[in-house]
Structure formats: structure tokens, C-alpha cells
Amino acid sequence: VFTEEDKYGLYSNLMFKYFLAEGVVCGHELFVASAKEHPDNILKELPAPLLDTYRKELGEEATAVKSEDFQDSMKIAWRYQNLPKMEASPTSTKFGHYYDISKTMPPELFQSVKWHSFYLPEELSLQPKMKTCNMNSAYASLLQSIQKIIYQEGFDGSDPQKKQKNILRIGIQSLGSMLWGDDICSSDTPEDIHSLTKFLYVLRALLRKSLSACIITVPAHLIQNKAIMERVTNLSDMVVGLESFIGSERETNPLYKDYHGLVHVRQIPRLNSLICDVSDTKDLAFRLKRKLFTIERLHLPPDLSDTVSRTSKQDLAESAKLLSSGCGAMAIGKKHLDF
Amino acid sequence: QGKFTLLRDTRTDGSFLVHHFLSFYLRAGCKVCFVALLQSFSHYNIIAQKLGVSLTAAKERGQLIFLEGLKYCLDLMFGEEEQSGQSNPLQFLRLVGASDLRALFDFIRTSLTPSGSDSWKGPVLLVDDLSVLLSLGATPVPVLDFIHYCRVVVCSQLKGNIVVLVHSNEDSEDEENELVVNSLCHHSDLILWVEGLATGFCKDIHGQIKIIRRVSLELTAEKDLIQIYQYKIQDKNVTFFARGLSAAVL
């Protein structure tokens, strides 16, 4: 899962923590990598799960993390909390948990979970022993670290003795930023434009060969060379962009007053099947309440005046331009067709 | 026979065509060399089974040679010294400076050159997808050279077919990719161009496909034949229909 960070990284960090928190609650193993914040600190700030508000009327346990087949090569497409307000309650495919972000996760939950961390400033002192394939050395050592964990903990099926299969959740924060030694965010003609894409390719190979899933956040707005983002999108299974309204003109736009930002789903995974699971709506927005971070369909307030509707049409046409799906279609150009 | 087909997708996923061609050629009894750079073997296998072909069986009887790019990449990066090295078709990943896809070409040539006991009809090379090579450090010219060499061997010498998938985008900023795609377009006998609908997302129509038969290449002063259809992808099938005649509309 590839997340394009919003400008100030606030919301993408939140999603990152949700991913890891879900891993803790489900008993998965975690691997956290970061160049700017020590993983121990990240893990201390995971949101606490809301254990008493499971909707039991569906008769399904919330622990039906129907993971996503336990075959030897799976990448999990993970969508969470997509609660369309149109529907009365979440329907049968409910999986995942809810979290209360005003509280941090209690340490008892952590105790049963095994986790590994990769904090770049600490790792740089160790020399990567493997052939680097002309890749940025930070990326190379991260890959080596991930591969080592996968092999040692038997996620790649190499240890037939392991009775219980578990999933490794990998979280990599702010990949591609300058802290990782890559200059794609600071220069138009970076020294090595292939480092990030090569890294992603090898990571993809590792993930396909093991029971793991990975979320990566990237400060996409800083990457000058758009070709890289296109290639990165092609190499990822799922790409989600978060656009926050902070500091942009949309913050004061009455259309968006209930929300804090937009969610752009740029690509959906299409694995093991010709078709992919496309939701009905493409307009998603997120909002951060005191306890909850929700993603919902973008509701427009009723058209009360001429000016409101005119700006909204322009805005929607713009945002529709940016939306595309793995199997689908897109409005190109500024053509706005009334239906 | 001896045809080069280019599969091109813009803002949508054209890989359903790859699955189609794979099962099509296997069912026709051809020997297929499949260079799969982006997905694992089981992904293709599961879908092929839905389409009625078993890739594992094809591999076992020697009809299908499957190059799993992801696996070779791992061998290269983390494998033992003796394993990786000469025989790895993706060794260009390790070369400094100019990228040399010769190892990949050699692999393809050895797999498709018929051995004495082969009884398969015509060889076929299938590539999914070529744009990934650029992401891995190859520059456009070596990629085009590589395709050229493949054409010489597979199309001219062995009278086989080649099918290649590339991604492209009209307002793409990836100039290297556009260069490769445009060049390949000029040299293809058949182009299948898959695009998302211009009017936006639709549940019943997943996109449109443009079929361009490059009759103009045959020096008979005729123009290329272009046909446009729309399609909808289902679990085991893809339905094609003329524009505007989707089942949802009728």
C-alpha cells in the first residue's frame, strides 16, 4: 500500500499508525522503519483499540481478519473504515477494528506482539553486507534488514517447523525523503532516479514471496520528477493519496467545511483475478474528530445559492480528473459533462 | 506468424489482455516464453485456471517457460555467489552505468529455440511489462535494442510471435517511457490500445479498446485499420461490445 503524504504529514502519519495498530490487535508481527522518528516512539503513539464497540449484530467476530489467503505469496489490499453513510450499518464484509486516537495503546497489548525496528541513523553505522545493485545504501540496508527478518522468522515458508502462520506488517515512513539519502525530493535531476523504483521492485519481490503486507508513506508533493511517481504507481499494488486542506484555499471553501481533506484512490490492487473490487464512489474525504479518523463519501451541502454550486462543479471536475482506478476510467481534461 | 503485437494501456490496467494471450497461445499448442516482471507465478496461474488453462501443467510438459522476474531479482540480491552471476537473466540490475539486457535476451533465445524433441507449433514471446525495465535502471536505447534482437530471433528466424505490454499516458512526464512506447508503435503489426473512458468512471463499462492493424506497414499504400470497442471485465471473461451498446444501456 502506497500512501502519498499530505503536506504536513499529519494525516498520513495517522494512517500509518492505524496500520500498525491493527497489526498489534490482530497479533501480527511488526516491522517499523523510519529515518526521522525512532520506531520505539512511533509504537508508543499507536491509537488504542475500541474493544467494546464491536457490532455483534452481524454475528461475525471482528477477528475475522479474513486474511487474505494464506498462500505463499500474498499482498494484502487493506481498506479500513470505509463507512458509507448511505448504508445503515457496515455490511457483511466487516473486518478490522476501530481505534480511539485520543488514547494510546496500552502496553499490555504489545507484550504478546513481536516487533522489529529499523531506525536509519542507527543502522547507517553498520555496513550493508550484500551487493547493493547500485542502490542508495540506506535503501539497500533496509532491504537487507527486511529480508533477514522474513527469513529468520520464517515468513517465507522456509521453516516447515513453524506451526502457526503469522503475517508480517511492514511500515516504512517517509520513503524517498532526504532523510533516506535520496535527493529526489530536493532536485529536479536527481543523481539516481532509479534507486526508489529499484527498492520498490525488490520489496515487491520480498512481499510476494512471504506472508507480509507493507504500507509506505512518501512525501509525493516534494518529488520534483513526476516520472518517478508514475513508475512508482505502476510498481505498487495500491496507491492512496491524502490531500489535506490545511493551508490551501479549500480550507475555507464552504463545500469542505466538514472535512479535513480528500482521499484520492489512485490505484486498486488486482491480484489473482481479472477484476478488482471497485467501490461505487470515487469521492472520498477524511475527517479527524477528537477520537476518530474517518473516511467517508464526500457529501456536498445542499445547493443553496448560485455561487456555491458553481465553485463546486469546478472543484469536482478537478478532483475527478485526478481520480482513476485500477480497472477504470477517468475524466480527462477539463471536459465536464452533465449527467 | 512472425507478428509483433503491442499491448498498450493508458490510465487503466491492460493486463487482462496478457492473460488472454497467454491462455490463447497455450491452448493453440505454441511454445511460450513468458517474461513476467511484475507479478508472481501464482497470480497468473490462478487467473489462467479461471480461463481454462493450467500453467503448472504447461510448465511441466515444457510448453511454457516462465521467467518470474521477482524471483530472479531476489536471487540476485540475496542469493549465494555461485547461484547469482552468469545465469541470472536480470543481471543488468547490478551493472554500473550502461544497462545491458543481453542476459535477458540470451535466456529468451535459449528457451524458444526448438530442441530436437519439441513438437510445438510456433514460438511465442510474451512480456509483462516492458515499462518495468525502465524503472529498474535500463535506458530506452538498450530496451529497444533488446526488443529488436528478440524480433530478429523470434519473428524472423523462428517465425514466431511477440506480444508486449507497455504503459503509456498522453500527458505523461516519463519521457523515456514515451520514447520506448512510440518507437514500438511504429514497428508493431498490431496494436491493442486499452483506455479508460473519456467521460469518467462507469461500473458497466470498464474501458475501451482500440484495435489498430498496421496495414500501412505492408507497403500497399493502405491506411491502418482502426476499430474501437468497449469492454467489461468479469471474473472469467471479458465481454466486448460496440460503443454505446453496453448491456447496461440497452
Side-chain angles (χ1 to χ4, degrees):
Chain A
V1 180
F2 194 87
T3 310
E4 295 172 10
E5 284 177 14
D6 51 298
K7 247 196 183 150
Y8 300 102
L10 291 168
Y11 302 109
S12 54
N13 250 340
L14 208 45
M15 275 186 84
F16 188 74
K17 289 182 183 151
Y18 266 103
F19 182 83
L20 296 173
E22 181 73 12
V24 173
V25 176
C26 295
H28 299 157
E29 239 175 88
L30 299 179
F31 181 105
V32 185
S34 172
K36 67 178 168 185
E37 221 181 309
H38 199 287
D40 292 344
N41 293 336
I42 299 177
L43 288 172
K44 286 205 188 94
E45 290 172 10
L46 294 185
L50 287 170
L51 293 166
D52 25 87
T53 55
Y54 288 151
R55 315 268 177 103
K56 291 249 172 69
E57 69 254 25
L58 300 170
E60 274 181 349
E61 282 303 278
T63 46
V65 162
K66 60 180 184 144
S67 288
E68 309 95 20
D69 330 28
F70 276 83
Q71 287 174 19
D72 65 350
S73 57
M74 257 341 256
K75 183 106 177 249
I76 301 171
W78 189 63
R79 287 167 58 182
Y80 75 104
Q81 281 197 339
N82 228 332
L83 292 177
K85 294 274 164 92
M86 292 3 152
E87 293 172 277
S89 64
T91 48
S92 54
T93 55
K94 170 166 161 34
F95 76 139
H97 303 83
Y98 291 94
Y99 296 91
D100 179 349
I101 39 183
S102 60
K103 307 198 197 106
T104 51
M105 188 172 279
E108 311 86 63
L109 280 176
F110 266 118
Q111 275 158 10
S112 52
V113 168
K114 223 170 160 187
W115 58 277
H116 315 272
S117 69
F118 180 98
Y119 184 47
L120 189 63
E122 284 175 1
E123 303 282 338
L124 278 182
S125 47
L126 311 157
Q127 289 294 334
K129 291 174 286 260
M130 53 166 233
K131 325 115 193 179
T132 55
C133 281
N134 309 319
M135 207 189 296
N136 179 329
S137 59
Y139 294 156
S141 49
L142 174 57
L143 281 173
Q144 188 184 23
S145 192
I146 294 176
Q147 192 266 345
K148 202 171 69 154
I149 301 294
I150 290 180
Y151 179 68
Q152 278 175 353
E153 305 288 328
F155 288 105
D156 54 357
S158 58
D159 183 5
Q161 300 297 329
K162 255 198 134 103
K163 308 148 292 200
Q164 228 183 9
K165 287 190 181 178
N166 201 356
I167 296 178
L168 178 67
R169 284 196 183 222
I170 306 174
I172 307 178
Q173 202 182 41
S174 273
L175 197 64
S177 73
M178 290 209 297
L179 296 166
W180 288 94
D182 202 343
D183 59 354
I184 50 177
C185 287
S186 51
S187 138
D188 213 356
T189 45
E191 213 182 290
D192 182 6
I193 47 171
H194 296 121
S195 250
L196 181 61
T197 44
K198 277 193 207 169
F199 169 83
L200 285 177
Y201 190 76
V202 182
L203 179 63
R204 189 187 177 92
L206 283 173
L207 293 172
R208 285 288 195 274
K209 268 268 158 292
S210 60
L211 292 172
S212 36
C214 177
I215 183 171
I216 306 179
T217 68
V218 165
H221 53 279
L222 293 175
I223 297 182
Q224 314 283 350
N225 187 339
K226 293 301 168 200
I228 297 183
M229 278 316 295
E230 287 175 24
R231 292 181 184 178
V232 156
T233 304
N234 279 334
L235 287 171
S236 317
D237 288 316
M238 180 164 187
V239 180
V240 173
L242 293 174
E243 180 191 340
S244 85
F245 294 147
I246 303 178
S248 87
E249 60 195 10
R250 291 188 174 164
E251 202 169 12
T252 46
N253 189 331
L255 258 198
Y256 296 122
K257 66 174 165 53
D258 291 331
Y259 304 103
H260 291 109
L262 295 175
V263 175
H264 303 289
V265 179
R266 302 203 198 280
Q267 183 153 290
I268 308 180
R270 195 196 292 234
L271 284 178
N272 297 332
S273 165
L274 280 175
I275 49 177
C276 55
D277 181 27
V278 189
S279 71
D280 278 338
T281 178
K282 299 289 171 146
D283 297 310
L284 298 171
F286 64 83
R287 109 166 74 169
L288 180 61
K289 297 192 268 215
R290 193 175 64 87
K291 286 193 172 191
L292 221 50
F293 174 77
T294 51
I295 294 181
E296 25 187 272
R297 289 189 196 195
L298 181 61
H299 289 264
L300 296 178
D303 256 1
L304 294 172
S305 76
D306 273 332
T307 37
V308 170
S309 60
R310 245 181 276 130
T311 45
S312 78
K313 279 198 174 126
Q314 183 63 359
D315 258 352
L316 279 185
E318 283 298 309
S319 64
K321 190 158 79 133
L322 300 167
L323 294 170
S324 65
S325 82
C327 61
M330 201 191 94
I332 351 180
K334 295 215 197 287
K335 288 188 255 191
H336 176 67
L337 294 161
D338 271 333
F339 280 98
Chain B
Q1 292 248 307
K3 293 290 175 213
F4 186 95
T5 303
L6 184 69
L7 305 177
R8 179 177 177 175
D9 62 32
T10 298
R11 276 186 232 97
T12 184
D13 188 6
S15 58
F16 67 93
L17 289 172
V18 173
H19 297 297
H20 159 73
F21 276 106
L22 181 59
S23 37
F24 171 73
Y25 281 119
L26 283 176
R27 262 193 291 233
C30 297
K31 187 167 187 184
V32 178
C33 174
F34 186 14
V35 176
L37 294 173
L38 259 196
Q39 301 283 14
S40 61
F41 176 74
S42 65
H43 166 81
Y44 294 105
N45 199 13
I46 291 176
I47 301 182
Q49 274 172 354
K50 290 186 189 166
L51 297 176
V53 174
S54 166
L55 294 188
T56 354
K59 248 196 346 177
E60 277 164 22
R61 55 177 184 252
Q63 190 188 6
L64 171 66
I65 293 125
F66 194 96
L67 193 162
E68 191 170 350
L70 294 173
K71 186 170 91 73
Y72 279 111
C73 173
L74 282 187
D75 285 342
L76 198 66
M77 299 282 286
F78 304 110
E80 309 297 326
E81 267 309 331
E82 320 89 59
Q83 276 176 14
S84 58
Q86 296 311 7
S87 52
N88 195 316
L90 290 188
Q91 24 169 246
F92 73 94
L93 278 176
R94 276 217 255 144
L95 297 172
V96 187
S99 45
D100 188 352
L101 297 164
R102 233 172 301 187
L104 187 56
F105 166 70
D106 284 333
F107 178 93
I108 295 172
R109 189 184 44 178
T110 21
S111 34
L112 286 180
T113 309
S115 60
S117 54
D118 270 351
S119 57
W120 309 112
K121 303 187 196 134
V124 173
L125 169 65
L126 194 52
V127 180
D128 175 18
D129 67 65
L130 205 61
S131 307
V132 172
L133 290 177
L134 292 172
S135 301
L136 293 177
T139 42
V141 174
V143 173
L144 291 170
D145 282 344
F146 159 73
I147 289 290
H148 177 75
Y149 274 86
C150 288
R151 284 191 78 157
V152 168
V153 170
V154 179
C155 295
S156 312
Q157 286 177 3
L158 300 174
K159 300 281 180 271
N161 293 330
I162 300 185
V163 179
V164 170
L165 174 68
V166 288
H167 299 297
S168 86
N169 210 341
E170 259 119 36
D171 48 359
S172 159
E173 303 222 359
D174 191 348
E175 289 171 358
E176 290 184 343
N177 190 39
E178 292 307 300
L179 180 67
V180 170
V181 173
N182 284 328
S183 179
L184 288 178
C185 274
H186 286 303
H187 294 115
S188 310
D189 296 302
L190 175 66
I191 304 175
L192 297 178
W193 192 345
V194 174
E195 287 178 282
L197 293 178
T199 46
F201 171 68
C202 169
K203 241 191 346 176
D204 297 299
I205 304 174
H206 291 146
Q208 84 175 16
I209 178 170
K210 226 190 272 188
I211 305 175
I212 307 175
R213 293 179 212 280
R214 311 265 351 266
V215 181
S216 53
L217 287 178
E218 291 168 24
L219 301 174
T220 50
E222 283 175 34
K223 269 182 27 170
D224 292 339
L225 283 172
I226 304 182
Q227 292 166 295
I228 302 183
Y229 295 100
Q230 290 175 337
Y231 64 89
K232 174 175 177 165
I233 307 177
Q234 292 148 330
D235 193 40
K236 296 192 183 186
N237 198 8
V238 179
T239 39
F240 293 91
F241 37 85
R243 281 184 290 185
L245 293 181
S246 130
V249 169
L250 290 174

